[in-house]
Amino acid sequence: MGLRDVRVLLLYPPVQTAPGAVCKPNGSLAYPNLAGALRAHGVDVGIFDACVGADGDPLEEMFAKPVPMPNGFLRTGVSDERILEVVADADIVGITSIFTDHETMVLRCARLIREAYPEKILVSGGVNARSRLSRFVAAGFDAVCLSEGERTIVEIVEAVRRSPRPDFSAIHGVAFPDGDGGVRINPTRSQDVVWDLDELPMPAWDLMPNPRYWKIARPHTGTYEPGVELRYAQMMTSLGCPFHCAYCHIAGEQEGSLSGPIGKFRVKSDERVLAELDTLKGLGVQHVFIEDDSLLGQKRRGLRLLRRIQGAGVTIADVNGINILHLLKRWKPDHEVLEALAAAGFTQISLPFESGNLRILRKYASNKLNIEMADIKSLIIAMKEYGFRIYGTYMMGYPDETMEEIERTLQLARDHISWGLDAASFLIVVPLPGSPLYDMAVAGATSPRTSTRTR
């Protein structure tokens, strides 16, 4: 029997938000990365973001008039009928679930598609899907990618090309129904991880609904003038992180885990990063958000890269990947790094302070910053002198945190504002699936486990 043609559609679900919250499209890098890998393999692939729709969908109306949901949240996006129309011609539908707050809509879309098109192959992936396998299989998913999916999705496509009822048993890094009401898991091996990131195909940013994102102008972070088009895109220059914080999924992505050791810090070459910037500029992008978990995880490499991208012709903001430790040298501002960031085009930087308590940072945040020794006042003043807009993020509600420690964090934020910080945001510590804190909460433990584990 010959191989059949297969079409893949990667679907971002509609977005649900709490009343009063600002709805921001998902638009994660998962789909341009996967689509790039599929396209390089010769597969017919498309991307549809059901939050913003495509040409002909009423963009302004959807965002101005979100639909109330039974759970009290508001839904922004196209109708169920429109989703079914878009997926009709696809053989495989991929629905990512990286973020926990997207799970409800991901599972809803899966059930919707499974009921209307029982023959279609439904695939998911992302840390949330990996951590909630039984729910995703019960919702109708045929396969869940357990790790970085650029290679796995190609193997899944090849299995579907061979048979409309594919056998995934020979694929590593995937989970699927075992036929007896359970889930079969084929863990990721170390050799399945992409260690040389330059081997990854170029992301297919051109398949994204970029003009609609730019019109809405609601990126994940930063502050921008309302109603003004923002020609932005996201990219990553590295994967993984040198830190293993208890509230982050990376702490669990080690050797022996379902995902394999994808938490290990890996970088793209300078040439690859420059090529990606050129690709984005060719699409009309003017603002680039760096989504690295630790842009300066290798400080010498980071400095070299920053100098290489000077004059790239775009403004750059960092979402969450500038660790404060890397902006310091002997606990004072590292002006070499700050100057390189400014010269490379960075305009806005988020500073993850995490807590105002050294005990908390040591126990839950990899001991990555000694706030008692670091001269944060001088750092904030220096960053403002370089022209950065800087935002601080602070977390409260750690499992054994005291009220006195919470107040200390609040006072730290007040001090930072008085020294020139542009804004402070406060996050409640939540044990999200995939993080050691989640395992700790389920086990009823009092201390996080950040060592290697296999579920």
Side-chain angles (χ1 to χ4, degrees):
M1 179 183 296
L3 298 178
R4 65 192 185 109
D5 291 332
V6 169
R7 183 174 187 274
V8 178
L9 180 75
L10 304 175
L11 172 72
Y12 294 107
V15 171
Q16 66 167 6
T17 52
V22 175
C23 176
K24 297 182 178 182
N26 182 345
S28 74
L29 281 166
Y31 284 170
N33 290 343
L34 293 173
L38 289 168
R39 186 157 62 184
H41 193 67
V43 177
D44 181 8
V45 58
I47 296 175
F48 183 76
D49 189 336
C51 177
V52 302
D55 292 345
D57 294 316
L59 183 64
E60 291 86 352
E61 181 180 340
M62 289 190 300
F63 275 77
K65 299 177 181 179
V67 179
M69 299 173 62
N71 61 7
F73 284 73
L74 301 176
R75 166 184 168 141
T76 301
V78 302
S79 66
D80 288 353
E81 292 75 19
R82 176 68 168 130
I83 291 173
L84 293 177
E85 174 188 326
V86 170
V87 305
D89 295 332
D91 301 286
I92 300 174
V93 180
I95 314 177
T96 186
S97 187
I98 300 172
F99 305 111
T100 303
D101 62 339
H102 294 155
E103 178 180 304
T104 297
M105 298 307 292
V106 170
L107 298 184
R108 190 178 188 283
C109 283
R111 296 185 183 104
L112 174 73
I113 296 168
R114 173 59 70 220
E115 181 177 357
Y117 303 112
E119 77 285 357
K120 294 190 185 301
I121 301 299
L122 299 183
V123 179
S124 191
V127 60
N128 184 67
R130 178 176 75 234
S131 304
R132 310 269 282 174
L133 287 175
S134 60
R135 286 178 174 265
F136 278 70
V137 170
F141 281 102
D142 298 286
V144 176
C145 297
L146 302 176
S147 189
E148 295 161 348
E150 287 87 349
R151 291 175 173 172
T152 308
I153 192 67
V154 170
E155 293 187 70
I156 289 173
V157 166
E158 286 303 306
V160 176
R161 291 183 70 196
R162 289 190 291 269
S163 170
R165 294 188 176 182
D167 178 9
F168 300 133
S169 61
I171 302 176
H172 292 279
V174 69
F176 51 93
D178 64 4
D180 295 318
V183 181
R184 173 168 171 177
I185 298 173
N186 289 348
T188 308
R189 305 167 303 176
S190 180
Q191 58 264 42
D192 299 320
V193 176
V194 180
W195 298 108
D196 181 359
L197 301 186
D198 286 9
E199 294 178 359
L200 295 172
M202 186 66 69
W205 285 294
D206 57 296
L207 297 181
M208 302 284 280
N210 295 309
R212 298 174 81 82
Y213 292 155
W214 299 344
K215 188 168 185 177
I216 292 297
R218 296 181 183 179
H220 291 167
T221 191
T223 57
Y224 296 92
E225 186 176 351
V228 177
E229 181 182 82
L230 182 69
R231 301 173 72 89
Y232 73 94
Q234 295 119 283
M235 68 176 291
M236 299 185 77
T237 80
S238 65
L239 294 175
C241 183
F243 302 110
H244 298 157
C245 301
Y247 43 77
C248 179
H249 61 90
I250 288 177
E253 294 172 344
Q254 308 301 318
E255 190 72 57
S257 66
L258 291 186
S259 68
I262 58 174
K264 184 176 177 61
F265 188 64
R266 295 157 287 151
V267 302
K268 296 177 181 176
S269 69
D270 298 357
E271 290 70 25
R272 170 59 184 253
V273 173
L274 292 171
E276 292 193 12
L277 283 172
D278 283 342
T279 298
L280 290 174
K281 287 192 297 181
L283 295 174
V285 171
Q286 298 171 349
H287 304 269
V288 175
F289 288 85
I290 302 294
E291 299 270 359
D292 294 33
D293 288 293
S294 188
L295 177 62
L296 299 170
Q298 294 175 0
K299 199 167 185 179
R300 289 294 102 192
R301 176 261 180 183
L303 275 170
R304 186 187 69 245
L305 177 62
L306 290 172
R307 291 172 179 138
R308 290 289 302 275
I309 65 177
Q310 291 178 16
V314 294
T315 61
I316 302 179
D318 187 84
V319 175
N320 67 344
I322 299 290
N323 289 290
I324 300 166
L325 177 67
H326 297 144
L327 302 178
L328 302 169
K329 185 175 183 178
R330 300 187 182 91
W331 304 114
K332 298 290 184 179
D334 190 334
H335 287 273
E336 184 182 18
V337 172
L338 297 180
E339 183 177 347
L341 286 166
F346 279 74
T347 58
Q348 303 185 44
I349 296 177
S350 179
L351 299 177
F353 289 103
E354 321 290 25
S355 174
N357 304 278
L358 187 58
R359 182 190 75 83
I360 294 290
L361 292 172
R362 285 175 171 169
K363 184 172 183 178
Y364 297 103
S366 300
N367 195 24
K368 61 184 177 183
L369 178 66
N370 190 322
I371 57 173
E372 296 178 2
M373 296 182 65
D375 188 352
I376 299 300
K377 181 177 182 178
S378 294
L379 176 63
I380 290 174
I381 292 172
M383 294 184 74
K384 295 307 297 181
E385 290 175 347
Y386 279 99
F388 298 115
R389 287 189 62 84
I390 50 177
Y391 316 101
T393 56
Y394 309 81
M395 300 172 67
M396 298 177 292
Y398 294 91
D400 57 353
E401 188 176 28
T402 66
M403 286 302 299
E404 290 76 14
E405 288 173 324
I406 291 175
E407 178 55 40
R408 197 173 298 128
T409 296
L410 291 171
Q411 184 57 50
L412 183 71
R414 296 187 192 103
D415 291 341
H416 292 169
I417 291 290
S418 72
W419 299 337
L421 191 76
D422 291 288
S425 61
F426 300 92
L427 308 175
I428 301 299
V429 176
V430 178
L432 298 175
S435 69
L437 274 185
Y438 179 82
D439 294 341
M440 173 183 166
V442 170
T446 57
S447 294
R449 296 186 300 115
T450 58
S451 58
T452 300
R453 84 245 192 268
T454 300
R455 293 180 186 273

